[in-house]
Amino acid sequence: MHEILHTVFNKQDSYIFIQPKQMYAVVINYEEKSKRIRILGLLFPNLILGIIPFVVSLIFPPLKFLGMIAIPNIMGGVGDFILILHYLHHVPNGAKIYNHKDDGSFWYISE
């Protein structure tokens, strides 16, 4: 579900690669995205499956089971948070980000 939610901000086809032995999954989409859209796409599943349910469980204690479900989802999204910090720190505003399965993500500024 987490990886499927990453695709909400993708206009083109997306591919989900699952590596059970390494215990990770990744969504690859070969379109250029702005820094803002890329960060929103990374943050979206963590908001929907983690942060929002956790906050709801704090506000409404009878729904504490949402918090129990949210914590593993937040922990599972730590790689997304690392990428968000990387993009905020290293990618300049106005740059486009291109994601590639084998070679990672690249950013560039178009003329």
Side-chain angles (χ1 to χ4, degrees):
M1 179 57 99
H2 177 100
E3 299 303 323
I4 292 170
L5 288 173
H6 278 303
T7 66
V8 169
F9 291 92
N10 298 342
K11 295 176 185 172
Q12 298 175 358
D13 290 342
S14 298
Y15 305 94
I16 299 175
F17 294 94
I18 299 171
Q19 297 290 334
K21 288 184 180 180
Q22 288 83 15
M23 295 184 62
Y24 82 94
V26 64
V27 173
I28 301 296
N29 177 268
Y30 299 110
E31 69 182 277
E32 302 164 350
K33 293 186 189 113
S34 69
K35 177 175 150 178
R36 185 177 139 256
I37 294 298
R38 181 76 172 128
I39 289 172
L40 285 173
L42 287 167
L43 193 57
F44 189 67
N46 296 302
L47 282 171
I48 299 300
L49 298 174
I51 296 168
I52 292 173
F54 185 73
V55 170
V56 168
S57 73
L58 293 176
I59 295 170
F60 303 105
L63 299 176
K64 67 180 177 184
F65 71 92
L66 287 177
M68 303 294 273
I69 295 170
I71 290 172
N73 282 296
I74 292 169
M75 291 169 41
V78 72
D80 296 331
F81 293 120
I82 291 169
L83 281 174
I84 290 168
L85 291 173
H86 174 77
Y87 290 149
L88 289 172
H89 184 71
H90 294 288
V91 178
N93 292 332
K96 298 285 185 187
I97 298 171
Y98 178 77
N99 195 15
H100 190 271
K101 174 184 174 280
D102 296 324
D103 298 323
S105 296
F106 301 93
W107 65 264
Y108 67 93
I109 298 175
S110 58
E111 298 178 24

